[in-house]
Amino acid sequence: MKKRVLPLSRVYQLLEPGPVVLITTARGGKANIMTQSWHTMMEFEPPLVGCVISGRNHSFNILRATRECVINIPTQDLAKQVVGCGNTSGSMVDKFRRFGLTAAPASLVEAPLITECYANLECRVADTRLVNKYNFFILEVGKAWIDSSQKDPRTLHHRGKGAFMVAGKTVKLPSRMK
Amino acid sequence: MKKRVLPLSRVYQLLEPGPVVLITTARGGKANIMTQSWHTMMEFEPPLVGCVISGRNHSFNILRATRECVINIPTQDLAKQVVGCGNTSGSMVDKFRRFGLTAAPASLVEAPLITECYANLECRVADTRLVNKYNFFILEVGKAWIDSSQKDPRTLHHRGKGAFMVAGKTVKLPSRMK
């Protein structure tokens, strides 16, 4: 999948619709993946993303220690991998190997990009004030990659208990909103 | 539109997919509506929702003063109203009147429910620690209403600059995730 750099000012267009994401972290040369949906944009540029990562997840301690991760955005063709990564723990399983995903080096962080995802956002932790109470990390996106051949990406949107809404068509409305 | 009370434990299933919402506030008997997409679930039960409301919005000061609002979830048939509420300011316009929306009394808060929205979440502000720096409010949902006849609601998901993804079909995957 050929990707180009996406201007940071456009990152919000990827996360604002609420897709399920795969968050990669790495420590000591060992990478992990977790499935995640509780995230929101918090600022346009530099893009800030708030996200909840439960202390029960293997990724929590890695993210807290390394302060780096990649937000990878999968589409419908990766549904099996999305569910698989959500149902297993990185403390037991090498998820890249188990689910046939490819790790590619990022440019700013040690955590890898998932090649099969149509977009990848390299992030550093910017604020941990709400981590103790809510497991809420504020991330700053430093570099964004996109496969720009995908115009209407069929992202997955979690409705709970295995139900996922698949992104439908995009309509254009006469909005002056950014 | 006939609605029933939705158990609070299921609220995340409405917001997690990332729909555009209409947030209502009220002060001194005057209600306002704003269009909003930067929100995330933060806890299952009681449901906590984090959301960014810019200080440039008329609703910001009302929410900060009253500490109450309603998150209303519209579907595709309200696209014109969603865009209209996003392109106007409550300091100039009575948005209920302008866009033909119906205000119904909530049970816990002064802010009204929008009758035409298929779901309504009555909220109180639970934490303002990140308001000064990020305009980020943490809301607790105290009561939730839903038109349960809508099984696959065609929610709108903002992609920026007037582009909205319309929720597609829902698929069921063998997930053990909540």
Side-chain angles (χ1 to χ4, degrees):
Chain A
M1 193 181 289
K2 206 178 153 191
K3 285 177 190 153
R4 65 173 179 83
V5 172
L6 180 76
L8 294 179
S9 60
R10 295 189 52 201
V11 164
Y12 78 99
Q13 300 176 354
L14 303 181
L15 291 184
E16 198 168 323
V20 172
V21 298
L22 296 172
I23 297 184
T24 47
T25 47
R27 184 162 54 172
K30 214 178 142 192
N32 190 34
I33 310 173
M34 71 168 282
T35 301
Q36 208 268 3
S37 283
W38 287 14
H39 56 75
T40 179
M41 288 306 298
M42 294 182 71
E43 186 53 87
F44 286 107
E45 195 176 6
L48 294 181
V49 181
C51 72
V52 177
I53 296 192
S54 159
R56 289 186 302 275
N57 284 293
H58 185 60
S59 300
F60 178 87
N61 285 326
I62 309 177
L63 180 60
R64 196 153 64 165
T66 64
R67 300 178 69 95
E68 293 182 348
C69 66
V70 177
I71 300 175
N72 304 273
I73 311 182
T75 41
Q76 187 182 8
D77 49 307
L78 296 174
K80 222 171 93 178
Q81 288 89 336
V82 165
V83 171
C85 287
N87 286 340
T88 49
S89 169
S91 64
M92 312 285 282
V93 172
D94 175 341
K95 300 197 196 178
F96 281 95
R97 180 188 290 238
R98 166 80 70 95
F99 300 111
L101 294 168
T102 312
S107 68
L108 302 179
V109 300
E110 193 197 330
L113 315 179
I114 299 177
T115 302
E116 290 80 5
C117 288
Y118 89 100
N120 316 87
L121 311 174
E122 300 186 29
C123 299
R124 291 209 175 95
V125 173
D127 196 321
T128 56
R129 237 181 302 175
L130 295 191
V131 170
N132 281 346
K133 184 152 185 198
Y134 301 104
N135 296 327
F136 187 74
F137 292 85
I138 300 179
L139 309 172
E140 179 176 331
V141 181
K143 190 115 191 176
W145 303 94
I146 194 161
D147 169 9
S148 47
S149 73
Q150 303 214 23
K151 292 304 175 202
D152 266 350
R154 298 286 170 223
T155 46
L156 297 165
H157 300 253
H158 193 228
R159 288 200 186 284
K161 302 188 180 191
F164 290 84
M165 178 269 279
V166 181
K169 67 174 194 285
T170 294
V171 296
K172 188 86 185 156
L173 300 169
S175 170
R176 291 190 301 273
M177 287 180 282
K178 185 172 186 181
Chain B
M1 192 181 292
K2 207 180 153 192
K3 285 177 191 155
R4 65 172 178 84
V5 171
L6 180 75
L8 294 180
S9 59
R10 294 188 51 200
V11 164
Y12 78 98
Q13 300 176 354
L14 303 180
L15 291 183
E16 198 169 323
V20 171
V21 298
L22 296 171
I23 296 184
T24 47
T25 47
R27 183 161 57 173
K30 215 178 141 193
N32 191 33
I33 311 174
M34 71 168 280
T35 300
Q36 207 268 4
S37 283
W38 287 13
H39 56 74
T40 180
M41 289 304 299
M42 294 181 71
E43 187 52 88
F44 286 107
E45 194 174 8
L48 295 180
V49 181
C51 72
V52 176
I53 296 190
S54 158
R56 291 185 301 275
N57 285 293
H58 185 60
S59 301
F60 178 87
N61 285 327
I62 309 176
L63 179 60
R64 196 153 63 164
T66 64
R67 299 180 69 95
E68 292 183 350
C69 66
V70 177
I71 300 174
N72 304 274
I73 312 183
T75 40
Q76 187 181 10
D77 49 308
L78 296 174
K80 223 171 92 177
Q81 289 88 334
V82 165
V83 171
C85 287
N87 287 339
T88 50
S89 170
S91 64
M92 313 284 283
V93 172
D94 176 340
K95 300 196 196 180
F96 280 95
R97 180 188 291 238
R98 167 79 70 96
F99 301 110
L101 293 168
T102 312
S107 69
L108 301 179
V109 301
E110 193 197 330
L113 314 180
I114 300 177
T115 301
E116 291 80 3
C117 288
Y118 89 101
N120 316 88
L121 311 175
E122 301 187 28
C123 300
R124 290 207 175 98
V125 173
D127 196 320
T128 57
R129 236 181 299 176
L130 295 191
V131 170
N132 282 345
K133 184 153 185 197
Y134 301 105
N135 297 325
F136 187 75
F137 294 84
I138 300 179
L139 309 172
E140 179 175 332
V141 181
K143 189 119 191 171
W145 303 94
I146 193 160
D147 170 9
S148 46
S149 72
Q150 303 214 23
K151 292 302 174 203
D152 266 350
R154 297 287 169 223
T155 46
L156 296 165
H157 300 253
H158 192 229
R159 288 200 186 281
K161 303 188 177 189
F164 291 84
M165 178 271 279
V166 181
K169 66 173 195 287
T170 293
V171 296
K172 189 86 183 152
L173 299 170
S175 172
R176 290 190 303 271
M177 287 180 283
K178 185 172 186 181

